[in-house]
Amino acid sequence: MQSKSHQHKEFTFAFLKNDIPAGLVVFLVALPLCLGIALASGAPLFSGIITGLVGGIVVGALSGSQLSVSGPAAGLTVIVLGAITKLGSFETFLLAVVLAGVMQLILGFLKAGIIGHYFPSSVIKGMLAAIGLILILKQIPHALGYDKDNEGDFDFLQVDGENTFTEIFTSVNFLHPGAIIIASVSMFILIMWERPFLRKYAFFKLVPGALIAVITGVAINEWVYPAVAADFMLEGDKLVQLPVAHSPNEFIGQFTMPDFSALGNIQVYITAATIALIASLETLLSLEATDKLDPWKRNSPTNRELKAQGVGNIISGLIGGLPMTAVIVRSSANVNSGGKTKISAIFHGLLLFGSVAGLATMLNRIPLACLAAVLLVVGYKLAKVSLFKAMIKLGIFQFLPFIVTIVAILLTDLLVGISIGMGLSILFILRNNYKRTYIYDPEKNIAGEPIVIKLHEDVTFINKGSIAQLLNHIPENSHVIIDGSNSVDIDIDVLEIIHDFRSNAMYRNIKLELRNVPEFRGVAGH
């Protein structure tokens, strides 16, 4: 347990020994996802890297969150793909990204980030577990050497015509021994690196296991396979495929400017508003989830995050990047790798810049099977069995929204799944409000004594049904006291029901006594 004095640590170099290794792991997680999301979006590969580096460096610096990491979002791939086609060019789409950033800035200044505080804990935990399971299910084919589907395609229905589950069954028919060996060795290294008997040595604390796994994977593919089993070598789409710039001019030429002549196109603004809304919701969800993972339980300022995302999207759109959000996969990798402050996010952004500025040729030797192992471990840490056990112990009204959110996200996408989980949570809230409006226990009634109904602090229109039912079942010839002494606000709908009951009580020989219940002032003629 960390000391209380550490709970609100801001940007500081005091934790470099934690943040630098964590940033390296986040980079290894982000690299294939940046490329895969760009590919799935129908955008240039370089645009995915631009988004990741801007999300790391710019948003990382401006954000109030110490652990959240931003980059291209898998949840926006379908929207981006459709928008590029509908708007006619990638340059016109970039203008929509810039305008989306402006809209997010405005939302931040309007303090719309308050929405982030209204997501139920059970739904957020369900989202974390679902993303963990999706990572595991989506990475199994890559670990087996079947790379037909892009990294970053997190939707249930995939662009290659398969779905999450059929892709796994299909991949079994295309097993690649070389990929399986590298993935297995990488997994072994990652698991052993976490063992307590090794963590007591400084080397295993300072050097991330993911780096050793990647170096080992490259070494096996580059040197071991050619010497002993040339058929096992991984090539082409089984390796990272970064765009390579052979000169400074070629590197600069990969950046793209938006087409400002399209400012008069109404479709640009519709696309921008769609991106701003969905990206903001995904960001707030990821921010809330990351705060729950934070060992120090820091609370990230949501309005500041919307502003940071807005600036990030403006810059990303201006230089040829995709829209971005805070991303739970990168953020959870950051937390699980021991990141402490935003330096880890910024460092991962700098590494992404280096990956295209001069390291592309070297990084293109990394097998996807190796990175799949890293993502499998990240997925497992998000969807541990202990999380499911803990949610079961909290009771049915916490577990049901949790498990429904998981299933819904697995079978649809993030926002649809969250919406379904939220809907179920709201139903439970309405049900509880419906039942917990008053204090009245008929079993405690004593013959000849008054029936006392004590209203709660806030009695809203949601409660009118339960109160109406209770009053309808009051036996004739009773003495009833309705006590509103504890109530701060009694909704007009409820007052109408109470006073209608008073009018009807004389016909049932019910003596009614109202204590601190306001008079009902209905519409004229009532």
Side-chain angles (χ1 to χ4, degrees):
M1 179 68 74
Q2 300 290 341
S3 67
K4 286 272 185 183
S5 62
H6 284 164
Q7 288 188 6
H8 301 288
K9 283 287 185 185
E10 293 294 325
F11 186 87
T12 172
F13 291 104
F15 299 100
L16 277 179
K17 65 178 182 180
N18 305 102
D19 291 330
I20 295 302
L24 180 56
V25 174
V26 176
F27 162 70
L28 293 173
V29 167
L31 183 62
L33 296 180
C34 285
L35 295 171
I37 290 169
L39 196 60
S41 302
L45 287 179
F46 192 67
S47 65
I49 300 296
I50 289 173
T51 316
L53 68 89
V54 172
I57 299 169
V58 177
V59 178
L62 296 177
S63 171
S65 173
Q66 296 300 310
L67 294 174
S68 180
V69 184
S70 297
L76 290 171
T77 51
V78 176
I79 293 167
V80 173
L81 184 62
I84 293 172
T85 304
K86 190 169 188 177
L87 295 175
S89 72
F90 184 60
E91 290 77 12
T92 306
F93 170 74
L94 292 178
L95 179 62
V97 177
V98 173
L99 293 174
V102 173
M103 292 176 186
Q104 284 185 294
L105 261 180
I106 294 170
L107 287 173
F109 282 110
L110 292 176
K111 302 189 184 303
I114 189 69
I115 297 168
H117 296 299
Y118 291 95
F119 298 120
S121 176
S122 58
V123 174
I124 295 296
K125 289 176 181 176
M127 180 188 78
L128 286 169
I131 290 173
L133 291 172
I134 288 172
L135 275 177
I136 292 169
L137 294 171
K138 294 289 188 181
Q139 292 306 315
I140 289 173
H142 295 293
L144 298 177
Y146 185 67
D147 301 292
K148 188 175 180 181
D149 188 51
N150 303 321
E151 288 279 11
D153 183 2
F154 284 179
D155 288 344
F156 179 68
L157 297 175
Q158 300 177 170
V159 294
D160 65 351
E162 302 281 358
N163 65 47
T164 303
F165 298 108
T166 61
E167 183 84 3
I168 295 172
F169 293 121
T170 301
S171 67
V172 173
N173 298 321
F174 297 92
L175 298 178
H176 194 296
I180 294 171
I181 291 170
I182 287 176
S184 300
V185 171
S186 300
M187 285 283 290
F188 176 77
I189 291 171
L190 291 165
I191 293 169
M192 291 304 295
W193 220 259
E194 299 291 325
R195 298 300 91 194
F197 72 90
L198 290 179
R199 297 293 291 177
K200 63 184 180 181
Y201 298 105
F203 175 79
F204 293 95
K205 289 181 181 178
L206 294 174
V207 179
L211 176 62
I212 302 301
V214 166
I215 292 173
T216 304
V218 172
I220 292 173
N221 196 51
E222 292 282 322
W223 298 316
V224 177
Y225 287 163
V228 298
D231 291 343
F232 284 14
M233 279 191 69
L234 302 176
E235 298 175 320
D237 64 357
K238 300 191 184 307
L239 303 175
V240 170
Q241 293 181 308
L242 279 167
V244 179
H246 300 287
S247 69
N249 286 338
E250 192 175 335
F251 174 69
I252 294 170
Q254 294 183 92
F255 292 91
T256 310
M257 291 280 289
D259 180 7
F260 288 101
S261 67
L263 277 170
N265 184 348
I266 187 65
Q267 291 299 326
V268 171
Y269 294 91
I270 294 172
T271 300
T274 304
I275 291 171
L277 178 62
I278 294 176
S280 297
L281 283 173
E282 285 209 23
T283 289
L284 293 174
L285 283 164
S286 294
L287 199 67
E288 180 78 9
T290 304
D291 283 350
K292 289 190 181 303
L293 293 174
D294 183 1
W296 294 347
K297 302 304 176 188
R298 290 165 286 193
N299 290 317
S300 303
T302 53
N303 295 315
R304 180 174 168 183
E305 185 66 27
L306 288 180
K307 294 173 189 175
Q309 294 288 333
V311 173
N313 275 317
I314 290 170
I315 294 174
S316 182
L318 285 173
I319 61 176
L322 300 172
M324 72 184 66
T325 70
V327 185
I328 193 60
V329 175
R330 295 167 178 79
S331 304
S332 61
N334 189 19
V335 174
N336 290 325
S337 302
K340 295 292 184 287
T341 76
K342 60 174 65 181
I343 289 178
S344 56
I346 295 170
F347 182 60
H348 122 275
L350 292 171
L351 288 174
L352 283 172
F353 177 76
S355 72
V356 288
L359 301 175
T361 302
M362 182 174 68
L363 293 172
N364 283 346
R365 297 180 176 183
I366 299 175
L368 289 180
C370 194
L371 296 179
V374 176
L375 288 164
L376 282 167
V377 171
V378 172
Y380 171 74
K381 289 181 177 179
L382 284 172
K384 283 184 175 178
V385 175
S386 58
L387 173 61
F388 288 81
K389 289 180 178 177
M391 293 306 296
I392 290 172
K393 288 180 181 178
L394 291 176
I396 191 70
F397 297 122
Q398 289 294 313
F399 181 71
L400 262 183
F402 168 76
I403 203 71
V404 165
T405 301
I406 292 173
V407 174
I409 291 175
L410 282 174
L411 298 180
T412 57
D413 58 40
L414 181 65
L415 288 180
V416 172
I418 286 288
S419 300
I420 293 171
M422 285 285 290
L424 184 60
S425 293
I426 290 169
L427 282 177
F428 285 150
I429 291 168
L430 293 176
R431 177 184 179 277
N432 289 337
N433 278 332
Y434 177 85
K435 297 184 74 174
R436 297 175 185 173
T437 315
Y438 50 80
I439 299 172
Y440 168 65
D441 186 353
E443 294 182 2
K444 292 184 179 180
N445 281 349
I446 301 173
E449 294 289 320
I451 295 171
V452 181
I453 301 169
K454 292 186 177 182
L455 301 179
H456 280 182
E457 185 174 355
D458 288 302
V459 188
T460 71
F461 73 94
I462 294 169
N463 314 124
K464 61 189 282 190
S466 60
I467 291 177
Q469 277 193 335
L470 171 65
L471 296 179
N472 285 337
H473 288 87
I474 296 291
E476 294 183 357
N477 308 311
S478 300
H479 178 193
V480 180
I481 299 171
I482 300 178
D483 187 354
S485 302
N486 295 328
S487 301
V488 174
D489 181 56
I490 303 176
D491 193 272
I492 190 170
D493 288 337
V494 176
L495 287 176
E496 183 176 9
I497 286 172
I498 292 172
H499 287 283
D500 284 347
F501 174 71
R502 181 170 65 176
S503 301
N504 180 258
M506 66 181 73
Y507 301 110
R508 298 166 58 190
N509 196 30
I510 294 174
K511 179 184 177 182
L512 177 64
E513 184 180 340
L514 300 181
R515 295 178 181 173
N516 295 301
V517 175
E519 286 297 318
F520 171 67
R521 291 179 174 83
V523 295
H526 181 81

